[in-house]
Amino acid sequence: MALPPPPPYIIYFFLLFIMLICSSTAQTQRNISLGSPLTAAKNGLFWESPSGDFAFGFQQIGKGGFLLAIWFNKIPERTIVWSANRENLVQEGSKVELTKLGLVLEDSKGNQIWASGISGIDVAYGAMLDTGNLVLANNNSANLWESFNKPTDTLLVGQTLSQNMKLVARYSETNYSSGRYHFILQSDGNLVLYTRTFPLDTPNFPYWESSTQNSGFQLIFNQSESSTQNSGFQLIFNQSGYIYLEAKNGTILDMLTSNNNAAQDFYQRAILEYDGVLRQYVYPKKNDRSSSGWNMTWTQSSTSIPSNICLAIREGRGSGACGYNSYCVLGNDQRPSCHCPNSYTFIDPSDKMKGCKQAFEAQSCDEDSRDADDFDFISMENTDWPETDYEKFQMVNEDFCRRACLGDCFCVLVFFRDGRCWKKGHPLSNGRVDPSLGGKALIKIRINNSTLKTGGTNSKKKDQSTLVLVGSVLLSSSVFMNVLLAAAIFVLFRFRQKSKVIKQNQFLPDMNLQTFTYAKLEKATNGFKELLGRGSFAGVFKGVLSFDNCECLVAVKKLEHMVKENEQEFKAEVITIGCTNHKNLVRLIGFCNEGMHRLLIYEYMSNGSLASFLFGQLKPKWHQRMHIALGIARGLFYLHEECSTQILHCDIKPQNILLDDSYTARISDFGLAKILKPDQTRTTTGIRGTKGYVAPEWFRNMPVTVKVDVYSYGILLLELICCRKNVEEDVKDDAQIILADWAYDCYADGKLDFLVENDDEASQDMEKYVMVALWCIQEDPLLRPTMKKVTLMLEGTIEVSVPPDPTSFISSI
Ligand SMILES: *[C@@H]1O[C@H](CO)[C@@H](O)[C@H](O)[C@H]1NC(C)=O
Ligand SMILES: *[C@@H]1O[C@H](CO)[C@@H](O)[C@H](O)[C@H]1NC(C)=O
Ligand SMILES: *[C@@H]1O[C@H](CO)[C@@H](O)[C@H](O)[C@H]1NC(C)=O
């Protein structure tokens, strides 16, 4: 009666089936034995370290193919820390196998793409270790090959960089192939960051160095022993998260980072990123709700190496930190971004390093068709393209400088500073914006496309209406904002001291700002321990303070630098900000001004910024997003119309919207705010705000009104509707890169569903919101509604009419 035993092959297939099911979720293979292949496939198998922290296998990279890699396996990001075939992605079906000659990667056609390459001794087994090191060992468990000895762009805890070892940055955020930067511990002991002569591997210019080389000078004047004592022997990333350069005798020569994040609590990595900056990141191992992914770590003195890549790279050949004809700005997040000057556009918007091109016909060099009248200048303060000048004049004025460039068809811009004038031609290189530069760049642009000559009176008028785009530096808002607030506080403080006899209320009407001592704030923040965020020149720390009879959580902004600026205006601004009081604005509680210390104390917002909420792992619910949209609208309406003085925020973007306990939107960072006197409705001023959210009139010679905030709000509303960033390069179709353009296309084609894929809740009433957003982003400021009207439309009190194409108003100014 007993059933015959099943044939062995059935059992075999059954076991194979079970293995296939289990292996993609849990693979705790300790030792990798010879002959076990892994195949490149979606959700393919991988080899895990015993703890599961790291895995080795294939990772799909966009649509390009698969990378044989090691990654952090317990975090959703699956961050890659090492790869074998970065230059040569392989297709589905390729496989890697452990042979006694080492690891061999073959593509789907059987061609060898990569091999770990071990000669002489046979490999017995491999192991993915919990440190992130993949090792191949012989029978005696001696390591024959380690991934730690062949780093790509990342260093892990426990890994050392010995002499002649280097990190090579990737090409871009999403392209893992070798990029433009090297980080190398040279054989002379110097630790150096280099640009390379892309696409060749040869080093070009160093832009940072530890200066720990074993120099000839030392050899001559010191004993050779003592000279090697001062040269770098190895770079160590230790268990506490310190990264330092050590001499042969163990002396620490250069402490790169000292963060003291214990390896048992944090995942850590240091990476030479595609922008040429070496950064250290930590990720809490405990699934901590408040943390969002990898956080950059910061030390007292520096935030990254180099601290400002835009300024650090300055090379006689090569384009600098950004592509030719573009300029580099260090953002609030300490990351560089590349921009084109006005009237220039990116050659390839998906690869900004390719640089910018003139978006107008160049000036003719032909004597007969003199068209100097058709050109004028855009002025950018504190902006320069050093190393590109071909002529220099001394002891001249700005007018001479302008005329010299207008009359020279080779001249594309002049840089003017303190009576000196430099003429520059294409391609412009090393473009940068920084307050330390001083002076201004005058960029020659075509203002008249018609070939008709303009009359004398006309050209005179044009002189007066020269486009002045003062200080694009303000795009990197945080520097400006902190300087501004610091100066304001300083002035306020001085003012208060001088007029102690006057009651506070007499010159600070309704202002309820408190002063705190530095000691108290130091205590409140536990010695500035918990960093919430960081911008240039300021860190924001979490603290607990008692005031107003309560123990409250606060965010303490610690300003690091102090620059004297236009005092009258700043005083007015801080007073105004101190006076605002609305449930959709973050409240400034007080400040500290003591010796060198300048701090601002804000309410603590437990749910972080809208940026991390909106663009994080989980897509927030539609009703939550629209609740936030309405809150921001109400906050702006208050600033524009309900304050005693009208306030323009000028920098509305998701990073500047914080969320409180109940996920109510609270507008923050009034640093750029511009106050309009009661009788003033428009202002002309330098560019403020953040590119992408900046209304077009900033770039034109047009007055700036509250409508600039309406524009930024419109962009933000689209982001809230679609849960994506305004500019997204990793999209299916190029038409989707710029959200504003895509949204209008979808609206015009009646295909709004495309905007919110798989979001049923959204698709029901999103049309109204898209229409409101399209009204807000009209290029013509007059067509944009007021924030009051926006609020009423969102609330459903008034109907929304059909919006025109936002770009139909093409200004020829
Ligand atoms: C891996 O194999 C080596 C050599 O055979 C052995 O010494 C070691 O204990 C093995 N490790 C594990 C975790 O199985
Ligand atoms: C990555 O960039 C390199 C260098 O420009 C290029 O050759 C390669 O095709 C890119 N790879 C992908 C997958 O886009
Ligand atoms: C890491 O290095 C720092 C600086 O030398 C030292 O203070 C710390 O104790 C080290 N940590 C470990 C775990 O060795």
Side-chain angles (χ1 to χ4, degrees), residues 577 580 582-588 602-605 656-658 666-670:
I577 293 155
T580 57
H582 186 270
K583 72 174 183 343
N584 293 113
L585 307 178
V586 172
R587 189 161 76 96
L588 178 65
Y602 295 92
E603 276 175 295
Y604 177 74
M605 293 292 129
N656 286 343
I657 310 294
L658 301 179
R666 309 272 295 239
I667 301 171
S668 78
D669 256 17
F670 300 84

mmCIF file with all atom_site columns, all heavy atoms in Angstrom, residues 577 580 582-588 602-605 656-658 666-670:
data_model
loop_
_atom_site.group_PDB
_atom_site.id
_atom_site.type_symbol
_atom_site.label_atom_id
_atom_site.label_alt_id
_atom_site.label_comp_id
_atom_site.label_asym_id
_atom_site.label_entity_id
_atom_site.label_seq_id
_atom_site.pdbx_PDB_ins_code
_atom_site.Cartn_x
_atom_site.Cartn_y
_atom_site.Cartn_z
_atom_site.occupancy
_atom_site.B_iso_or_equiv
_atom_site.pdbx_formal_charge
_atom_site.auth_seq_id
_atom_site.auth_comp_id
_atom_site.auth_asym_id
_atom_site.auth_atom_id
_atom_site.pdbx_PDB_model_num
ATOM 1   N N   . ILE A 1 577 ? 9.893  90.102 11.156 1.00 0.00 ? 577 ILE A N   1
ATOM 2   C CA  . ILE A 1 577 ? 9.766  88.660 11.327 1.00 0.00 ? 577 ILE A CA  1
ATOM 3   C C   . ILE A 1 577 ? 9.354  88.335 12.761 1.00 0.00 ? 577 ILE A C   1
ATOM 4   O O   . ILE A 1 577 ? 8.515  87.487 13.013 1.00 0.00 ? 577 ILE A O   1
ATOM 5   C CB  . ILE A 1 577 ? 11.084 87.950 10.952 1.00 0.00 ? 577 ILE A CB  1
ATOM 6   C CG1 . ILE A 1 577 ? 11.317 88.112 9.463  1.00 0.00 ? 577 ILE A CG1 1
ATOM 7   C CG2 . ILE A 1 577 ? 11.046 86.490 11.326 1.00 0.00 ? 577 ILE A CG2 1
ATOM 8   C CD1 . ILE A 1 577 ? 12.755 88.026 9.066  1.00 0.00 ? 577 ILE A CD1 1
ATOM 9   N N   . THR A 1 580 ? 5.573  88.677 13.214 1.00 0.00 ? 580 THR A N   1
ATOM 10  C CA  . THR A 1 580 ? 4.589  87.851 12.535 1.00 0.00 ? 580 THR A CA  1
ATOM 11  C C   . THR A 1 580 ? 4.065  86.787 13.487 1.00 0.00 ? 580 THR A C   1
ATOM 12  O O   . THR A 1 580 ? 4.776  86.301 14.349 1.00 0.00 ? 580 THR A O   1
ATOM 13  C CB  . THR A 1 580 ? 5.191  87.130 11.307 1.00 0.00 ? 580 THR A CB  1
ATOM 14  O OG1 . THR A 1 580 ? 6.303  86.366 11.740 1.00 0.00 ? 580 THR A OG1 1
ATOM 15  C CG2 . THR A 1 580 ? 5.614  88.112 10.251 1.00 0.00 ? 580 THR A CG2 1
ATOM 16  N N   . HIS A 1 582 ? 1.300  83.619 12.944 1.00 0.00 ? 582 HIS A N   1
ATOM 17  C CA  . HIS A 1 582 ? 0.262  82.938 12.172 1.00 0.00 ? 582 HIS A CA  1
ATOM 18  C C   . HIS A 1 582 ? 0.506  81.444 12.288 1.00 0.00 ? 582 HIS A C   1
ATOM 19  O O   . HIS A 1 582 ? 1.652  81.011 12.388 1.00 0.00 ? 582 HIS A O   1
ATOM 20  C CB  . HIS A 1 582 ? 0.343  83.382 10.705 1.00 0.00 ? 582 HIS A CB  1
ATOM 21  C CG  . HIS A 1 582 ? -0.780 82.846 9.863  1.00 0.00 ? 582 HIS A CG  1
ATOM 22  N ND1 . HIS A 1 582 ? -0.692 81.651 9.209  1.00 0.00 ? 582 HIS A ND1 1
ATOM 23  C CD2 . HIS A 1 582 ? -2.002 83.351 9.587  1.00 0.00 ? 582 HIS A CD2 1
ATOM 24  C CE1 . HIS A 1 582 ? -1.826 81.436 8.543  1.00 0.00 ? 582 HIS A CE1 1
ATOM 25  N NE2 . HIS A 1 582 ? -2.631 82.453 8.760  1.00 0.00 ? 582 HIS A NE2 1
ATOM 26  N N   . LYS A 1 583 ? -0.555 80.685 12.254 1.00 0.00 ? 583 LYS A N   1
ATOM 27  C CA  . LYS A 1 583 ? -0.379 79.267 12.521 1.00 0.00 ? 583 LYS A CA  1
ATOM 28  C C   . LYS A 1 583 ? 0.341  78.534 11.392 1.00 0.00 ? 583 LYS A C   1
ATOM 29  O O   . LYS A 1 583 ? 0.748  77.385 11.541 1.00 0.00 ? 583 LYS A O   1
ATOM 30  C CB  . LYS A 1 583 ? -1.713 78.601 12.846 1.00 0.00 ? 583 LYS A CB  1
ATOM 31  C CG  . LYS A 1 583 ? -2.667 78.425 11.683 1.00 0.00 ? 583 LYS A CG  1
ATOM 32  C CD  . LYS A 1 583 ? -3.849 77.623 12.178 1.00 0.00 ? 583 LYS A CD  1
ATOM 33  C CE  . LYS A 1 583 ? -4.918 77.256 11.203 1.00 0.00 ? 583 LYS A CE  1
ATOM 34  N NZ  . LYS A 1 583 ? -5.092 77.869 9.956  1.00 0.00 ? 583 LYS A NZ  1
ATOM 35  N N   . ASN A 1 584 ? 0.518  79.177 10.257 1.00 0.00 ? 584 ASN A N   1
ATOM 36  C CA  . ASN A 1 584 ? 1.274  78.538 9.185  1.00 0.00 ? 584 ASN A CA  1
ATOM 37  C C   . ASN A 1 584 ? 2.681  79.112 9.014  1.00 0.00 ? 584 ASN A C   1
ATOM 38  O O   . ASN A 1 584 ? 3.314  78.937 7.985  1.00 0.00 ? 584 ASN A O   1
ATOM 39  C CB  . ASN A 1 584 ? 0.506  78.618 7.867  1.00 0.00 ? 584 ASN A CB  1
ATOM 40  C CG  . ASN A 1 584 ? -0.761 77.782 7.910  1.00 0.00 ? 584 ASN A CG  1
ATOM 41  O OD1 . ASN A 1 584 ? -1.865 78.299 7.876  1.00 0.00 ? 584 ASN A OD1 1
ATOM 42  N ND2 . ASN A 1 584 ? -0.604 76.473 8.044  1.00 0.00 ? 584 ASN A ND2 1
ATOM 43  N N   . LEU A 1 585 ? 3.153  79.813 10.039 1.00 0.00 ? 585 LEU A N   1
ATOM 44  C CA  . LEU A 1 585 ? 4.531  80.315 10.010 1.00 0.00 ? 585 LEU A CA  1
ATOM 45  C C   . LEU A 1 585 ? 5.283  79.772 11.224 1.00 0.00 ? 585 LEU A C   1
ATOM 46  O O   . LEU A 1 585 ? 4.706  79.602 12.287 1.00 0.00 ? 585 LEU A O   1
ATOM 47  C CB  . LEU A 1 585 ? 4.570  81.850 10.078 1.00 0.00 ? 585 LEU A CB  1
ATOM 48  C CG  . LEU A 1 585 ? 3.747  82.636 9.068  1.00 0.00 ? 585 LEU A CG  1
ATOM 49  C CD1 . LEU A 1 585 ? 3.894  84.133 9.332  1.00 0.00 ? 585 LEU A CD1 1
ATOM 50  C CD2 . LEU A 1 585 ? 4.176  82.308 7.655  1.00 0.00 ? 585 LEU A CD2 1
ATOM 51  N N   . VAL A 1 586 ? 6.572  79.511 11.024 1.00 0.00 ? 586 VAL A N   1
ATOM 52  C CA  . VAL A 1 586 ? 7.380  79.090 12.163 1.00 0.00 ? 586 VAL A CA  1
ATOM 53  C C   . VAL A 1 586 ? 7.713  80.321 12.995 1.00 0.00 ? 586 VAL A C   1
ATOM 54  O O   . VAL A 1 586 ? 8.082  81.360 12.465 1.00 0.00 ? 586 VAL A O   1
ATOM 55  C CB  . VAL A 1 586 ? 8.686  78.418 11.682 1.00 0.00 ? 586 VAL A CB  1
ATOM 56  C CG1 . VAL A 1 586 ? 9.619  78.166 12.856 1.00 0.00 ? 586 VAL A CG1 1
ATOM 57  C CG2 . VAL A 1 586 ? 8.379  77.109 10.996 1.00 0.00 ? 586 VAL A CG2 1
ATOM 58  N N   . ARG A 1 587 ? 7.586  80.186 14.317 1.00 0.00 ? 587 ARG A N   1
ATOM 59  C CA  . ARG A 1 587 ? 7.796  81.358 15.166 1.00 0.00 ? 587 ARG A CA  1
ATOM 60  C C   . ARG A 1 587 ? 9.258  81.460 15.602 1.00 0.00 ? 587 ARG A C   1
ATOM 61  O O   . ARG A 1 587 ? 9.871  80.467 16.007 1.00 0.00 ? 587 ARG A O   1
ATOM 62  C CB  . ARG A 1 587 ? 6.901  81.265 16.400 1.00 0.00 ? 587 ARG A CB  1
ATOM 63  C CG  . ARG A 1 587 ? 6.890  82.532 17.229 1.00 0.00 ? 587 ARG A CG  1
ATOM 64  C CD  . ARG A 1 587 ? 5.673  82.563 18.133 1.00 0.00 ? 587 ARG A CD  1
ATOM 65  N NE  . ARG A 1 587 ? 5.815  81.687 19.284 1.00 0.00 ? 587 ARG A NE  1
ATOM 66  C CZ  . ARG A 1 587 ? 6.234  82.095 20.486 1.00 0.00 ? 587 ARG A CZ  1
ATOM 67  N NH1 . ARG A 1 587 ? 6.547  83.363 20.674 1.00 0.00 ? 587 ARG A NH1 1
ATOM 68  N NH2 . ARG A 1 587 ? 6.326  81.248 21.483 1.00 0.00 ? 587 ARG A NH2 1
ATOM 69  N N   . LEU A 1 588 ? 9.777  82.676 15.505 1.00 0.00 ? 588 LEU A N   1
ATOM 70  C CA  . LEU A 1 588 ? 11.092 82.971 16.064 1.00 0.00 ? 588 LEU A CA  1
ATOM 71  C C   . LEU A 1 588 ? 10.874 83.303 17.535 1.00 0.00 ? 588 LEU A C   1
ATOM 72  O O   . LEU A 1 588 ? 10.143 84.231 17.865 1.00 0.00 ? 588 LEU A O   1
ATOM 73  C CB  . LEU A 1 588 ? 11.709 84.167 15.323 1.00 0.00 ? 588 LEU A CB  1
ATOM 74  C CG  . LEU A 1 588 ? 13.072 84.658 15.796 1.00 0.00 ? 588 LEU A CG  1
ATOM 75  C CD1 . LEU A 1 588 ? 14.142 83.608 15.572 1.00 0.00 ? 588 LEU A CD1 1
ATOM 76  C CD2 . LEU A 1 588 ? 13.463 85.936 15.068 1.00 0.00 ? 588 LEU A CD2 1
ATOM 77  N N   . TYR A 1 602 ? 14.137 78.976 17.365 1.00 0.00 ? 602 TYR A N   1
ATOM 78  C CA  . TYR A 1 602 ? 12.841 78.790 16.719 1.00 0.00 ? 602 TYR A CA  1
ATOM 79  C C   . TYR A 1 602 ? 12.074 77.683 17.414 1.00 0.00 ? 602 TYR A C   1
ATOM 80  O O   . TYR A 1 602 ? 12.649 76.847 18.099 1.00 0.00 ? 602 TYR A O   1
ATOM 81  C CB  . TYR A 1 602 ? 13.035 78.358 15.268 1.00 0.00 ? 602 TYR A CB  1
ATOM 82  C CG  . TYR A 1 602 ? 13.683 79.375 14.386 1.00 0.00 ? 602 TYR A CG  1
ATOM 83  C CD1 . TYR A 1 602 ? 15.059 79.381 14.204 1.00 0.00 ? 602 TYR A CD1 1
ATOM 84  C CD2 . TYR A 1 602 ? 12.938 80.343 13.722 1.00 0.00 ? 602 TYR A CD2 1
ATOM 85  C CE1 . TYR A 1 602 ? 15.678 80.299 13.390 1.00 0.00 ? 602 TYR A CE1 1
ATOM 86  C CE2 . TYR A 1 602 ? 13.556 81.275 12.902 1.00 0.00 ? 602 TYR A CE2 1
ATOM 87  C CZ  . TYR A 1 602 ? 14.920 81.250 12.737 1.00 0.00 ? 602 TYR A CZ  1
ATOM 88  O OH  . TYR A 1 602 ? 15.525 82.164 11.934 1.00 0.00 ? 602 TYR A OH  1
ATOM 89  N N   . GLU A 1 603 ? 10.756 77.674 17.183 1.00 0.00 ? 603 GLU A N   1
ATOM 90  C CA  . GLU A 1 603 ? 9.951  76.531 17.590 1.00 0.00 ? 603 GLU A CA  1
ATOM 91  C C   . GLU A 1 603 ? 10.506 75.279 16.925 1.00 0.00 ? 603 GLU A C   1
ATOM 92  O O   . GLU A 1 603 ? 10.942 75.339 15.776 1.00 0.00 ? 603 GLU A O   1
ATOM 93  C CB  . GLU A 1 603 ? 8.537  76.691 17.029 1.00 0.00 ? 603 GLU A CB  1
ATOM 94  C CG  . GLU A 1 603 ? 7.584  77.514 17.800 1.00 0.00 ? 603 GLU A CG  1
ATOM 95  C CD  . GLU A 1 603 ? 6.289  77.626 17.003 1.00 0.00 ? 603 GLU A CD  1
ATOM 96  O OE1 . GLU A 1 603 ? 6.289  78.218 15.915 1.00 0.00 ? 603 GLU A OE1 1
ATOM 97  O OE2 . GLU A 1 603 ? 5.286  77.103 17.481 1.00 0.00 ? 603 GLU A OE2 1
ATOM 98  N N   . TYR A 1 604 ? 10.420 74.170 17.622 1.00 0.00 ? 604 TYR A N   1
ATOM 99  C CA  . TYR A 1 604 ? 10.888 72.912 17.042 1.00 0.00 ? 604 TYR A CA  1
ATOM 100 C C   . TYR A 1 604 ? 9.758  72.267 16.239 1.00 0.00 ? 604 TYR A C   1
ATOM 101 O O   . TYR A 1 604 ? 8.614  72.230 16.676 1.00 0.00 ? 604 TYR A O   1
ATOM 102 C CB  . TYR A 1 604 ? 11.334 71.971 18.165 1.00 0.00 ? 604 TYR A CB  1
ATOM 103 C CG  . TYR A 1 604 ? 11.771 70.625 17.669 1.00 0.00 ? 604 TYR A CG  1
ATOM 104 C CD1 . TYR A 1 604 ? 12.985 70.475 17.030 1.00 0.00 ? 604 TYR A CD1 1
ATOM 105 C CD2 . TYR A 1 604 ? 10.957 69.515 17.840 1.00 0.00 ? 604 TYR A CD2 1
ATOM 106 C CE1 . TYR A 1 604 ? 13.386 69.236 16.566 1.00 0.00 ? 604 TYR A CE1 1
ATOM 107 C CE2 . TYR A 1 604 ? 11.364 68.269 17.383 1.00 0.00 ? 604 TYR A CE2 1
ATOM 108 C CZ  . TYR A 1 604 ? 12.576 68.139 16.746 1.00 0.00 ? 604 TYR A CZ  1
ATOM 109 O OH  . TYR A 1 604 ? 12.981 66.927 16.283 1.00 0.00 ? 604 TYR A OH  1
ATOM 110 N N   . MET A 1 605 ? 10.082 71.821 15.051 1.00 0.00 ? 605 MET A N   1
ATOM 111 C CA  . MET A 1 605 ? 9.066  71.202 14.190 1.00 0.00 ? 605 MET A CA  1
ATOM 112 C C   . MET A 1 605 ? 9.367  69.717 14.096 1.00 0.00 ? 605 MET A C   1
ATOM 113 O O   . MET A 1 605 ? 10.335 69.299 13.471 1.00 0.00 ? 605 MET A O   1
ATOM 114 C CB  . MET A 1 605 ? 9.125  71.824 12.790 1.00 0.00 ? 605 MET A CB  1
ATOM 115 C CG  . MET A 1 605 ? 8.705  73.274 12.767 1.00 0.00 ? 605 MET A CG  1
ATOM 116 S SD  . MET A 1 605 ? 6.948  73.440 13.121 1.00 0.00 ? 605 MET A SD  1
ATOM 117 C CE  . MET A 1 605 ? 7.008  74.655 14.400 1.00 0.00 ? 605 MET A CE  1
ATOM 118 N N   . ASN A 1 656 ? 12.013 74.841 2.721  1.00 0.00 ? 656 ASN A N   1
ATOM 119 C CA  . ASN A 1 656 ? 11.714 75.923 3.643  1.00 0.00 ? 656 ASN A CA  1
ATOM 120 C C   . ASN A 1 656 ? 10.327 75.821 4.255  1.00 0.00 ? 656 ASN A C   1
ATOM 121 O O   . ASN A 1 656 ? 9.871  76.741 4.919  1.00 0.00 ? 656 ASN A O   1
ATOM 122 C CB  . ASN A 1 656 ? 11.875 77.273 2.943  1.00 0.00 ? 656 ASN A CB  1
ATOM 123 C CG  . ASN A 1 656 ? 13.333 77.612 2.743  1.00 0.00 ? 656 ASN A CG  1
ATOM 124 O OD1 . ASN A 1 656 ? 14.199 77.024 3.389  1.00 0.00 ? 656 ASN A OD1 1
ATOM 125 N ND2 . ASN A 1 656 ? 13.625 78.541 1.850  1.00 0.00 ? 656 ASN A ND2 1
ATOM 126 N N   . ILE A 1 657 ? 9.637  74.738 3.992  1.00 0.00 ? 657 ILE A N   1
ATOM 127 C CA  . ILE A 1 657 ? 8.342  74.494 4.641  1.00 0.00 ? 657 ILE A CA  1
ATOM 128 C C   . ILE A 1 657 ? 8.571  73.376 5.659  1.00 0.00 ? 657 ILE A C   1
ATOM 129 O O   . ILE A 1 657 ? 9.052  72.302 5.296  1.00 0.00 ? 657 ILE A O   1
ATOM 130 C CB  . ILE A 1 657 ? 7.281  74.028 3.622  1.00 0.00 ? 657 ILE A CB  1
ATOM 131 C CG1 . ILE A 1 657 ? 7.217  74.952 2.405  1.00 0.00 ? 657 ILE A CG1 1
ATOM 132 C CG2 . ILE A 1 657 ? 5.926  73.878 4.297  1.00 0.00 ? 657 ILE A CG2 1
ATOM 133 C CD1 . ILE A 1 657 ? 6.745  76.349 2.673  1.00 0.00 ? 657 ILE A CD1 1
ATOM 134 N N   . LEU A 1 658 ? 8.275  73.654 6.914  1.00 0.00 ? 658 LEU A N   1
ATOM 135 C CA  . LEU A 1 658 ? 8.434  72.620 7.937  1.00 0.00 ? 658 LEU A CA  1
ATOM 136 C C   . LEU A 1 658 ? 7.057  72.096 8.339  1.00 0.00 ? 658 LEU A C   1
ATOM 137 O O   . LEU A 1 658 ? 6.042  72.731 8.068  1.00 0.00 ? 658 LEU A O   1
ATOM 138 C CB  . LEU A 1 658 ? 9.172  73.196 9.149  1.00 0.00 ? 658 LEU A CB  1
ATOM 139 C CG  . LEU A 1 658 ? 10.565 73.757 8.836  1.00 0.00 ? 658 LEU A CG  1
ATOM 140 C CD1 . LEU A 1 658 ? 11.206 74.314 10.091 1.00 0.00 ? 658 LEU A CD1 1
ATOM 141 C CD2 . LEU A 1 658 ? 11.453 72.709 8.215  1.00 0.00 ? 658 LEU A CD2 1
ATOM 142 N N   . ARG A 1 666 ? 4.322  74.899 7.988  1.00 0.00 ? 666 ARG A N   1
ATOM 143 C CA  . ARG A 1 666 ? 4.790  76.112 8.639  1.00 0.00 ? 666 ARG A CA  1
ATOM 144 C C   . ARG A 1 666 ? 5.934  76.680 7.804  1.00 0.00 ? 666 ARG A C   1
ATOM 145 O O   . ARG A 1 666 ? 6.970  76.044 7.634  1.00 0.00 ? 666 ARG A O   1
ATOM 146 C CB  . ARG A 1 666 ? 5.288  75.753 10.032 1.00 0.00 ? 666 ARG A CB  1
ATOM 147 C CG  . ARG A 1 666 ? 4.263  74.918 10.829 1.00 0.00 ? 666 ARG A CG  1
ATOM 148 C CD  . ARG A 1 666 ? 3.314  75.766 11.564 1.00 0.00 ? 666 ARG A CD  1
ATOM 149 N NE  . ARG A 1 666 ? 4.046  76.492 12.545 1.00 0.00 ? 666 ARG A NE  1
ATOM 150 C CZ  . ARG A 1 666 ? 3.821  76.437 13.858 1.00 0.00 ? 666 ARG A CZ  1
ATOM 151 N NH1 . ARG A 1 666 ? 2.835  75.725 14.319 1.00 0.00 ? 666 ARG A NH1 1
ATOM 152 N NH2 . ARG A 1 666 ? 4.566  77.106 14.701 1.00 0.00 ? 666 ARG A NH2 1
ATOM 153 N N   . ILE A 1 667 ? 5.700  77.875 7.305  1.00 0.00 ? 667 ILE A N   1
ATOM 154 C CA  . ILE A 1 667 ? 6.710  78.505 6.458  1.00 0.00 ? 667 ILE A CA  1
ATOM 155 C C   . ILE A 1 667 ? 7.875  78.964 7.324  1.00 0.00 ? 667 ILE A C   1
ATOM 156 O O   . ILE A 1 667 ? 7.676  79.564 8.376  1.00 0.00 ? 667 ILE A O   1
ATOM 157 C CB  . ILE A 1 667 ? 6.095  79.696 5.696  1.00 0.00 ? 667 ILE A CB  1
ATOM 158 C CG1 . ILE A 1 667 ? 4.935  79.204 4.831  1.00 0.00 ? 667 ILE A CG1 1
ATOM 159 C CG2 . ILE A 1 667 ? 7.146  80.403 4.853  1.00 0.00 ? 667 ILE A CG2 1
ATOM 160 C CD1 . ILE A 1 667 ? 4.121  80.311 4.205  1.00 0.00 ? 667 ILE A CD1 1
ATOM 161 N N   . SER A 1 668 ? 9.114  78.672 6.878  1.00 0.00 ? 668 SER A N   1
ATOM 162 C CA  . SER A 1 668 ? 10.277 79.109 7.652  1.00 0.00 ? 668 SER A CA  1
ATOM 163 C C   . SER A 1 668 ? 11.264 79.815 6.742  1.00 0.00 ? 668 SER A C   1
ATOM 164 O O   . SER A 1 668 ? 11.007 79.991 5.556  1.00 0.00 ? 668 SER A O   1
ATOM 165 C CB  . SER A 1 668 ? 10.936 77.916 8.329  1.00 0.00 ? 668 SER A CB  1
ATOM 166 O OG  . SER A 1 668 ? 11.703 77.198 7.389  1.00 0.00 ? 668 SER A OG  1
ATOM 167 N N   . ASP A 1 669 ? 12.409 80.177 7.315  1.00 0.00 ? 669 ASP A N   1
ATOM 168 C CA  . ASP A 1 669 ? 13.483 80.833 6.564  1.00 0.00 ? 669 ASP A CA  1
ATOM 169 C C   . ASP A 1 669 ? 13.035 82.116 5.875  1.00 0.00 ? 669 ASP A C   1
ATOM 170 O O   . ASP A 1 669 ? 12.931 82.175 4.655  1.00 0.00 ? 669 ASP A O   1
ATOM 171 C CB  . ASP A 1 669 ? 14.065 79.873 5.528  1.00 0.00 ? 669 ASP A CB  1
ATOM 172 C CG  . ASP A 1 669 ? 15.402 79.339 6.000  1.00 0.00 ? 669 ASP A CG  1
ATOM 173 O OD1 . ASP A 1 669 ? 15.678 79.458 7.205  1.00 0.00 ? 669 ASP A OD1 1
ATOM 174 O OD2 . ASP A 1 669 ? 16.164 78.843 5.192  1.00 0.00 ? 669 ASP A OD2 1
ATOM 175 N N   . PHE A 1 670 ? 12.814 83.118 6.674  1.00 0.00 ? 670 PHE A N   1
ATOM 176 C CA  . PHE A 1 670 ? 12.427 84.392 6.099  1.00 0.00 ? 670 PHE A CA  1
ATOM 177 C C   . PHE A 1 670 ? 13.655 85.195 5.708  1.00 0.00 ? 670 PHE A C   1
ATOM 178 O O   . PHE A 1 670 ? 13.593 86.383 5.493  1.00 0.00 ? 670 PHE A O   1
ATOM 179 C CB  . PHE A 1 670 ? 11.604 85.225 7.078  1.00 0.00 ? 670 PHE A CB  1
ATOM 180 C CG  . PHE A 1 670 ? 10.353 84.552 7.506  1.00 0.00 ? 670 PHE A CG  1
ATOM 181 C CD1 . PHE A 1 670 ? 10.365 83.639 8.537  1.00 0.00 ? 670 PHE A CD1 1
ATOM 182 C CD2 . PHE A 1 670 ? 9.176  84.806 6.852  1.00 0.00 ? 670 PHE A CD2 1
ATOM 183 C CE1 . PHE A 1 670 ? 9.221  82.996 8.914  1.00 0.00 ? 670 PHE A CE1 1
ATOM 184 C CE2 . PHE A 1 670 ? 8.022  84.160 7.224  1.00 0.00 ? 670 PHE A CE2 1
ATOM 185 C CZ  . PHE A 1 670 ? 8.043  83.249 8.266  1.00 0.00 ? 670 PHE A CZ  1
#
